[in-house]
Amino acid sequence: MSHIRVGRREFLKRTGAAGLALASMDALPRLVGSSGTTAALAGERTTLSLIYAPRGDPDRTALQEMLREFERRNPGTNVEVELTTVGRLPEVIQTRLVSRNLPDVAYLVGNRVPAYNKLGILADVSSSLPPDIGDEFVAYRWAEVQFGSRIVGVPIGHGVRALAYNVDYFQKAGIEAPRSPDQAWTWDQFVDVAQRLMRSTDAKFGLMFEDNSFDHWAGIHYQAGGTLLNRDMTAPAINSPEGLEALEWAIDLHRRKIAPPGVVEGTQNPYPLFTSGAVGMWMIGAWAISALESQMTRHRYNFTYMPRKKRAAVVTTGGVWTVFRTRQLEQASKLLVFLASEESITKLAGARAQNSARKRARGLRWPAKSELVEFFGRQADAAFQPQLQKETILPFYGATRDALTAELGLAISGQKSAKQALQDMERLIASELK
Amino acid sequence: MVRSLRLKETGPYLFVAPNVALVLAFSTFPLLYGIYLSVHSLTLDATTFVGLQNYPRLVRDPILRVSLTNTLYYVLGSVPLALALALTLAIGLNRRIPMRDALRSMYLLPHLISGVTTGLLWQWMYSPSLGILNGLLSLAGLPPSQWLQNPRLTMLCIILVGVWTQAGYYMVLYLAGLQSIPPEYYDAAAADGAGNWQSFRLITLPLIRPITYLVLIIATLTAFRVFDIIYVMTGGGPGRASLVLVVYMYQQAFNAMNSSYGATIGILLFSIVFLLTLAQLRASRA
């Protein structure tokens, strides 16, 4: 048997080179420009990359149909789609940024756009769009994409929050839901209704907060008369008597077991609680309709107006098409113009069960409960608060929202007093405003 | 002849090279890139060297301290429990008992389920309103408990899930160790009048010590890196009651869009795990 000498240095050199070559393969697409590899190498076809976060099958199908139409109208261009979830969007975009491999076009949640704009990764598409296009959109949605003369995207829809309720329970308890915004319940009436549901139906809990979302509580805070920032938006104003009232109200509902534990803290999935009938009312947006349609089989549901305190208020959120600063800006802008058309936006917003961000959306249809389109429009109009909407699209909000949500959870789970949580929220906002 | 000799000389390199290349590509390169990220600030146009400014922030960051404490709690809670349970199961299933193979597979099964599925499954079981655990308590006439919603219980509940997930895998490692002990040793001990406990203490435990060190290292590494079950079950909540280092790193890197600080937390985690592993290896040699 012959003896084989293994030269350690030589071995490490060779395998090291192979390893580095393997690792650098990841960088190859970046050298030839994001996903346009095919175009750059072959000089014939352009491949655009697009990231989308579908809510379900209807909007996934709608997007596929739209992109097929775009490819048909633009021979030589094809669009590669990467699907993810709304929750994972920040992770996907951040990973792409770190690896310098940004997509050409992406769907983003509107109130994150200012933060991405601040990072300088979004392209200014104002020269590709008609000069007065902003007038065709709902003003507060458009505000998410326009920064001075820069336009970094196009809003698609706006998801409006309202109050979902169990129709069977309401009938059993003899409760009639408000039929117009001026009939919306006050907080006290809302809690009374919740307690009546717990007494006269199988509901274990009368009402439920949205989920571990600060957006939802920001609306409640505003209903109580509070604001996140002062009037000139230079300093936090959350630590106020109104802020305390809103937070203590939420804590009290949980302490008295009128609201189920774990939902605001993110340790319990709210969907099965509502669909099973364990909860009678749920403050949630129209985007839940697709899931409710498939999961709520034992009870009927409907929506009514969100309760109010000193004033009505809800934070509306929506998706935005954005173009990133890649080498294929021209083609990507073309795609954006296509996606911004009334036809495209109506189709996609409808498939996501949202109202359209365009003022005109002829033929808007949802996968289910299309009869509620007008109701959600009225809810949005009745509860729209310019300052609240402006606050939630400032960069500080996107940057602190998770930490604020954690503070909310700390207060509701009793780990912090309401006062302490508000002080910490104030500190977080102040630190970000600096 | 020369050709055959050359093949004999280069052959071993060829066999090992793919693995080394993969380790370099997917472990060493990301680690080095993590270090690079921790000392740079990234934008699309520029990579700015920021030096070590993220590292003092580790000391000042109160949330990092919370996440480090929670991580240690999880490690100290789950590792001994998982090892003890794994060894008990391995000893039990090393005997000739009915359905032994089926039981071995059953205990291994949780390890084969993805972390996300495990998290969702247990989140449902722990649900205070709809969960099976409170259902059982109710059948027994006991009041329901807020498992994941009670900050004092949250980590404990997660530790149990971690143990449930890992114990079966460690059991398999222990079984391999137990089966390598020659049965003659036990026969001789029995002939000398040794009881079960004495045989276990004086034969089994010393002879499976290398396996115990191996399992200890693997269990510690796994526990420090726990992410998926916590991310799915609690997201680090309620509040920050179950916020561990990796979840905090994820939040910083992706939600707060601060890759640089996220990478710095990653380097901290790597350093802790690296030093602990070195210490454990040294202890095992001693």
Side-chain angles (χ1 to χ4, degrees):
Chain A
M1 212 168 116
S2 65
H3 178 70
I4 299 167
R5 285 189 60 201
V6 179
R8 192 187 292 178
R9 190 168 294 175
E10 185 62 21
F11 172 73
L12 282 175
K13 253 190 211 171
R14 288 182 187 188
T15 50
L20 286 174
L22 201 57
S24 64
M25 277 169 70
D26 173 57
L28 193 63
R30 280 173 264 149
L31 297 175
V32 288
S34 76
S35 56
T37 315
T38 326
L41 294 180
E44 292 166 356
R45 293 194 68 80
T46 302
T47 303
L48 294 172
S49 69
L50 180 144
I51 292 180
Y52 184 61
R55 281 227 165 258
D57 287 336
D59 63 320
R60 192 182 300 132
T61 310
L63 180 72
Q64 278 166 355
E65 286 170 6
M66 284 156 57
L67 294 179
R68 266 203 298 273
E69 177 59 22
F70 174 76
E71 287 171 351
R72 195 186 61 76
R73 289 187 200 175
N74 295 272
T77 303
N78 62 309
V79 186
E80 274 180 4
V81 182
E82 180 183 337
L83 296 178
T84 183
T85 60
V86 171
R88 283 200 61 223
L89 264 174
E91 175 192 335
V92 173
I93 300 294
Q94 191 69 10
T95 311
R96 294 285 204 114
L97 169 64
V98 171
S99 61
R100 298 280 205 276
N101 186 25
L102 284 166
D104 297 300
V105 177
Y107 172 94
L108 297 177
V109 176
N111 53 23
R112 279 223 166 226
V113 173
Y116 287 120
N117 180 57
K118 203 176 159 191
L119 280 178
I121 59 176
L122 300 177
D124 179 5
V125 289
S126 53
S127 58
S128 306
L129 296 167
D132 52 352
I133 188 170
D135 298 340
E136 295 170 27
F137 287 80
V138 176
Y140 51 93
R141 283 275 82 87
W142 187 257
E144 289 174 343
V145 297
Q146 180 148 19
F147 303 90
S149 60
R150 276 171 57 81
I151 297 172
V152 298
V154 174
I156 303 164
H158 61 128
V160 182
R161 291 176 162 82
L163 180 65
Y165 64 92
N166 187 314
V167 173
D168 300 333
Y169 286 176
F170 268 41
Q171 281 180 355
K172 196 174 175 186
I175 298 164
E176 199 167 320
R179 286 165 185 247
S180 64
D182 53 305
Q183 287 179 0
W185 290 318
T186 62
W187 282 7
D188 291 340
Q189 290 170 327
F190 181 46
V191 175
D192 281 346
V193 169
Q195 287 176 313
R196 271 173 68 189
L197 287 174
M198 289 167 73
R199 278 195 304 271
S200 34
T201 69
D202 292 337
K204 290 183 187 171
F205 303 97
L207 60 91
M208 181 161 67
F209 285 66
E210 184 175 305
D211 53 19
N212 61 332
S213 144
F214 194 81
D215 292 352
H216 172 227
W217 186 79
I220 288 175
H221 173 228
Y222 211 88
Q223 287 169 17
T227 56
L228 297 177
L229 302 179
N230 61 2
R231 196 153 281 281
D232 57 359
M233 303 210 176
T234 52
I238 194 167
N239 189 12
S240 62
E242 293 82 10
L244 191 63
E245 183 182 17
L247 191 50
E248 282 184 337
W249 183 66
I251 294 168
D252 185 57
L253 288 172
H254 286 84
R255 198 180 290 144
R256 289 162 62 198
K257 294 188 170 38
I258 295 171
V263 173
V264 180
E265 303 95 303
T267 57
Q268 181 155 224
N269 183 355
Y271 278 89
L273 288 175
F274 184 68
T275 55
S276 68
V279 170
M281 296 183 285
W282 184 19
M283 293 177 271
I284 185 70
W287 57 83
I289 286 176
S290 294
L292 293 179
E293 279 298 306
S294 61
Q295 294 171 28
M296 195 141 178
T297 50
R298 283 165 40 195
H299 299 275
R300 292 170 298 156
Y301 71 94
N302 206 342
F303 281 86
T304 186
Y305 295 94
M306 194 72 114
R308 60 199 155 92
K309 178 78 177 165
K310 285 183 183 157
R311 55 195 173 192
V314 289
V315 175
T316 63
T317 45
V320 169
W321 284 123
T322 50
V323 173
F324 286 83
R325 284 177 49 214
T326 62
R327 292 184 184 185
Q328 305 191 105
L329 190 54
E330 198 184 323
Q331 284 301 316
S333 300
K334 245 188 198 176
L335 175 57
L336 183 81
V337 170
F338 173 80
L339 293 170
S341 69
E342 184 192 336
E343 187 190 355
S344 298
I345 286 191
T346 306
K347 188 169 184 169
L348 200 64
R352 290 182 76 89
Q354 290 186 340
N355 288 50
S356 169
R358 268 187 176 273
K359 288 175 189 163
R360 206 163 66 171
R362 285 164 296 191
L364 179 76
R365 280 198 60 77
W366 289 356
K369 298 245 180 216
S370 274
E371 69 275 14
L372 287 177
V373 171
E374 281 178 23
F375 158 76
F376 275 98
R378 285 195 301 274
Q379 165 75 90
D381 293 343
F384 171 66
Q385 296 290 351
Q387 176 161 352
L388 173 64
Q389 207 60 43
K390 204 168 176 186
E391 284 172 344
T392 56
I393 58 168
L394 288 175
F396 91 89
Y397 188 74
T400 55
R401 196 166 56 154
D402 288 336
L404 295 173
T405 311
E407 291 299 330
L408 193 60
L410 285 165
I412 285 181
S413 61
Q415 296 176 75
K416 266 186 189 176
S417 68
K419 276 184 183 170
Q420 184 62 52
L422 284 173
Q423 277 171 15
D424 290 342
M425 286 182 192
E426 181 181 40
R427 187 181 45 76
L428 280 164
I429 295 172
S431 152
E432 195 56 40
L433 286 174
K434 269 183 198 167
Chain B
M1 184 67 178
V2 173
R3 204 175 189 184
S4 157
L5 266 175
R6 270 194 193 152
L7 192 65
K8 278 185 177 172
E9 280 180 15
T10 54
Y13 293 113
L14 291 175
F15 280 114
V16 184
N19 280 335
V20 176
L22 288 173
V23 167
L24 284 170
F26 296 112
S27 292
T28 313
F29 175 72
L31 172 67
L32 296 176
Y33 193 58
I35 296 171
Y36 174 84
L37 263 183
S38 73
V39 293
H40 285 85
S41 166
L42 294 183
T43 60
L44 192 58
D45 304 309
T47 306
T48 317
F49 180 70
V50 294
L52 297 174
Q53 73 175 30
N54 279 321
Y55 287 85
R57 187 178 159 188
L58 290 175
V59 183
R60 293 194 305 266
D61 185 349
I63 302 172
L64 183 89
R65 278 199 292 278
V66 172
S67 67
L68 192 57
T69 310
N70 286 340
T71 308
L72 290 174
Y73 181 19
Y74 180 80
V75 172
L76 294 174
S78 68
V79 172
L81 212 59
L83 260 68
L85 183 64
L87 182 58
T88 311
L89 288 173
I91 289 168
L93 295 176
N94 197 33
R95 297 177 179 192
R96 289 185 187 283
I97 56 166
M99 295 176 64
R100 187 173 68 169
D101 291 342
L103 285 170
R104 283 180 182 175
S105 308
M106 203 180 77
Y107 283 116
L108 182 62
L109 210 57
H111 183 70
L112 306 178
I113 301 172
S114 83
V116 174
T117 313
T118 302
L120 287 172
L121 183 75
W122 279 91
Q123 191 193 46
W124 171 73
M125 299 218 303
Y126 280 134
S127 166
S129 318
L130 306 170
I132 194 166
L133 292 177
N134 274 356
L136 291 172
L137 286 180
S138 156
L139 280 178
L142 295 168
S145 174
Q146 292 191 9
W147 304 99
L148 294 174
Q149 290 69 40
N150 181 343
R152 271 174 278 177
L153 280 183
T154 312
M155 274 313 274
L156 211 60
C157 292
I158 292 172
I159 285 170
L160 288 179
V161 178
V163 170
W164 179 81
T165 314
Q166 298 299 324
Y169 174 56
Y170 305 146
M171 175 199 76
V172 173
L173 296 177
Y174 268 127
L175 269 173
L178 290 173
Q179 283 165 11
S180 68
I181 302 173
E184 293 81 12
Y185 290 8
Y186 292 107
D187 295 341
D192 287 343
N196 283 344
W197 171 243
Q198 280 174 311
S199 292
F200 173 72
R201 195 167 57 86
L202 299 170
I203 299 172
T204 311
L205 270 186
L207 289 179
I208 59 163
R209 190 172 294 153
I211 291 288
T212 302
Y213 276 117
L214 175 72
V215 174
L216 183 65
I217 290 170
I218 295 174
T220 310
L221 291 179
T222 309
F224 264 106
R225 292 179 309 165
V226 65
F227 173 74
D228 43 13
I229 54 169
I230 295 184
Y231 189 71
V232 172
M233 284 168 73
T234 66
R240 297 190 184 97
S242 59
L243 185 71
V244 291
L245 270 179
V246 186
V247 175
Y248 186 49
M249 179 176 77
Y250 178 91
Q251 286 179 352
Q252 281 298 316
F254 299 118
N255 296 347
M257 298 191 291
N258 193 345
S259 303
S260 189
Y261 188 54
T264 312
I265 299 171
I267 300 303
L268 171 74
L269 179 67
F270 168 76
S271 310
I272 295 171
V273 171
F274 182 69
L275 290 173
L276 262 173
T277 310
L278 273 186
Q280 284 175 335
L281 281 173
R282 192 158 286 186
S284 73
R285 283 188 196 131

